[in-house]
Amino acid sequence: MSLNILEISYLIASLTFILGLKMLSNPDSARKGNLIAAAGMLIAIIATITLYQDFDSEKLVNYGLIFLGLIIGTVIGTIMAKRVQMTSMPQMVSFFNGMGGACAALIAIIEFQHHQHSTVTGFDGELLVMLLGLLIGSVSFSGSIIAYGKLEGKIQDKVLPMNQVINMVMLGAIVVLIVYQMVSGSDPLLFYALLAIALVYGILFVMPIGGADMPVVISLLNSFTGMAAAFGGFLYGNKAMLTGGILVGSAGTILTILMCKAMNRSLTNVLLGAFGGAAAGGAKSASGDQTVREINISDTAVLLSYSQSVVIVPGYGLAVAQAQHICHELEKLLEEKGVEVNYAIHPVAGRMPGHMNVLLAEADVPYERMQEMEEINSKFANTDVVVVIGANDVVNPAAKNDPSSPIYGMPILEVDQAKNVIILKRGMAAGYAGIENELFFYPKTRMLFGDAKATLQKLTAEVKEV
């Protein structure tokens, strides 16, 4: 009887995961979808603890440790989630993703201890699942921790000599270790050798990747963690764990492909750790005689107020300045003056997939005003003013015009087609890809220097007076 209730609980949890994931596709329902999926996970946890095995005196200590772990994890997770700033959200995603990979690897390690005493003849599917879970979970853990450190600014990009060759050799060694154990049987020494190589590969895989490519890496590592969790579901026959892992793995894989397309990268190069940081060093800077044209707050306010169409391009600088709310206020002021205002969202703007969508949704920007790159690019030619706030590489025309640029071929927001471009920026520093933006020197471009939040506050006040 308890087993039937347990299976029903897993079914309910799986349905909440699917429903929650569907609701996450729209900012208006994303919060509710997240809560529904979390409720399903709570159901699965409670059902597993209370129904999988009956309480008895010999297992009271184990259950005590389980509840202690749940309490500690809940408290730590809640505190971290409440304290995190929007600018640090990519780091938190990477950290939590790494913890998921570590859990999947630990499951494989624990189950391997029991499996050593089994007498399986023929194909050992359970061992294969353990090896794959260990491999993917370990790569996800070490890679995610390196990604966290890079996003936090504590770890710098570093490319080892013959980095691609080293990565390919390590991948070959991993395949050999897995195949050998499947043919010859489980071997503790080889099992832990696989663990060590996987951890090192995760580090070498992420280490050379530049910050501009980090959204792709986060998506890929997220899919790894999902797959590793699904392998854990296979081991335990846990339908909820299996469904959740498959959903995360498949969604992460689809998102990775979309991110690669948006960055003009191949998935093969991602797996070999052969893009981003190494390429950035080959960027050409603009010629020395190029000059920038500045604009002041008053002129900017007049230009915006008497425009018919304005497009705002948010970037990581908007998140750093925590200026999303004042930006929304400026948008509403312009709308009251009869100006049509929209936001142009590049798929990889920021430091993680959907970063700008989350940022603007927090400020209650209507979802219909956030337009994706494919939709907005055709409208720039009829746009009076484009205001770029904290974005750089995703609006750099070098992606179209300069074959020697490391971002050449990357789809960009074609703001250079608009009648006027105003760029809010602290200074002339290069973007996260490490290359200079030729858009700064276009005749139609005006630079409005200063902190994004302070500048927008002054601009909003000036627009009120126009």
Side-chain angles (χ1 to χ4, degrees):
M1 180 64 180
S2 62
L3 185 60
N4 292 333
I5 298 176
L6 179 63
E7 293 299 322
I8 293 173
S9 300
Y10 287 161
L11 177 61
I12 294 173
S14 299
L15 291 174
T16 62
F17 297 160
I18 296 171
L19 179 61
L21 184 62
K22 174 64 177 176
M23 296 176 73
L24 287 175
S25 63
N26 190 312
D28 294 334
S29 59
R31 187 186 298 270
K32 185 181 295 184
N34 195 30
L35 292 174
I36 289 175
M41 180 60 73
L42 181 62
I43 291 172
I45 291 173
I46 294 175
T48 301
I49 293 174
T50 58
L51 299 175
Y52 187 73
Q53 289 179 327
D54 294 329
F55 282 96
D56 60 49
S57 58
E58 294 181 2
K59 294 191 173 91
L60 287 178
V61 175
N62 291 340
Y63 279 104
L65 291 174
I66 289 173
F67 283 116
L68 179 62
L70 285 173
I71 293 171
I72 294 174
T74 300
V75 171
I76 294 176
T78 301
I79 293 174
M80 290 180 67
K82 285 186 173 294
R83 289 183 177 180
V84 66
Q85 298 294 320
M86 185 55 63
T87 51
S88 300
M89 193 61 71
Q91 291 93 305
M92 171 161 279
V93 171
S94 294
F95 181 78
F96 282 169
N97 189 64
M99 294 302 100
C103 289
L106 286 173
I107 288 174
I109 292 172
I110 292 171
E111 290 306 308
F112 181 77
Q113 307 302 321
H114 304 298
H115 186 75
Q116 292 182 72
H117 308 293
S118 65
T119 55
V120 179
T121 57
F123 178 75
D124 193 346
E126 191 172 271
L127 176 61
L128 178 61
V129 170
M130 290 178 195
L131 294 173
L132 292 176
L134 177 74
L135 166 63
I136 299 175
S138 300
V139 171
S140 178
F141 168 66
S142 59
S144 294
I145 296 304
I146 295 298
Y148 168 83
K150 289 166 74 73
L151 289 167
E152 194 71 17
K154 297 179 179 178
I155 299 177
Q156 301 301 316
D157 301 341
K158 181 174 290 188
V159 182
L160 294 176
M162 302 178 65
N163 187 76
Q164 290 190 33
V165 175
I166 294 173
N167 282 350
M168 292 183 69
V169 169
M170 296 188 73
L171 281 174
I174 287 171
V175 172
V176 170
L177 285 173
I178 292 177
V179 172
Y180 182 83
Q181 290 192 75
M182 290 303 301
V183 174
S184 303
S186 60
D187 184 317
L189 181 61
L190 297 180
F191 183 85
Y192 290 110
L194 177 63
L195 170 62
I197 294 175
L199 289 172
V200 174
Y201 176 76
I203 295 172
L204 296 181
F205 158 53
V206 178
M207 187 65 76
I209 296 174
D213 298 318
M214 201 53 70
V216 184
V217 178
I218 292 177
S219 298
L220 184 61
L221 292 173
N222 188 58
S223 68
F224 283 178
T225 297
M227 288 188 289
F231 288 135
F234 273 118
L235 285 176
Y236 291 132
N238 189 316
K239 308 299 189 299
M241 193 173 179
L242 179 62
T243 304
I246 291 173
L247 287 174
V248 173
S250 58
T253 301
I254 293 172
L255 187 57
T256 299
I257 294 172
L258 293 176
M259 292 295 103
C260 286
K261 182 179 178 181
M263 292 294 293
N264 194 36
R265 306 288 188 187
S266 71
L267 189 56
T268 302
N269 283 342
V270 176
L271 293 173
L272 293 178
F275 67 95
K284 288 198 309 183
S285 61
S287 56
D289 60 347
Q290 289 183 290
T291 57
V292 298
R293 298 159 184 83
E294 293 189 46
I295 191 171
N296 58 37
I297 295 290
S298 298
D299 290 343
T300 303
V302 172
L303 183 59
L304 292 175
S305 298
Y306 289 98
S307 297
Q308 292 183 330
S309 174
V310 171
V311 173
I312 299 173
V313 180
Y316 186 64
L318 183 72
V320 171
Q322 291 288 289
Q324 63 270 28
H325 295 282
I326 189 63
C327 184
H328 181 41
E329 186 178 339
L330 174 63
E331 167 218 322
K332 290 189 292 184
L333 277 175
L334 293 175
E335 287 285 345
E336 291 173 2
K337 292 178 177 290
V339 182
E340 180 186 356
V341 182
N342 290 298
Y343 293 83
I345 308 297
H346 193 280
V348 294
R351 297 294 181 267
M352 69 177 184
H355 195 179
M356 295 301 104
N357 301 77
V358 173
L359 188 71
L360 296 174
E362 184 195 26
D364 296 324
V365 173
Y367 182 62
E368 56 273 12
R369 296 201 185 282
M370 305 181 208
Q371 300 189 18
E372 300 298 328
M373 179 176 61
E374 294 79 5
E375 180 183 4
I376 196 70
N377 269 349
S378 61
K379 301 178 181 179
F380 281 126
N382 297 317
T383 299
D384 294 316
V385 184
V386 170
V387 182
V388 180
I389 309 174
N392 201 329
D393 301 319
V394 298
V395 296
N396 192 342
K400 299 185 300 178
N401 307 330
D402 184 4
S404 68
S405 172
I407 64 170
Y408 181 71
M410 182 182 84
I412 61 168
L413 294 167
E414 298 177 355
V415 301
D416 56 306
Q417 301 298 316
K419 298 172 185 176
N420 297 279
V421 180
I422 297 176
I423 299 178
L424 272 68
K425 192 171 172 61
R426 285 181 177 270
M428 292 296 294
Y432 213 178
I435 60 177
E436 197 164 48
N437 192 339
E438 65 181 50
L439 178 66
F440 297 167
F441 310 105
Y442 278 27
K444 65 175 66 177
T445 300
R446 298 292 182 271
M447 305 296 294
L448 184 57
F449 292 112
D451 174 76
K453 187 172 185 179
T455 302
L456 286 173
Q457 287 172 338
K458 295 175 183 177
L459 183 58
T460 301
E462 193 72 24
V463 168
K464 292 178 181 178
E465 303 299 323
V466 175

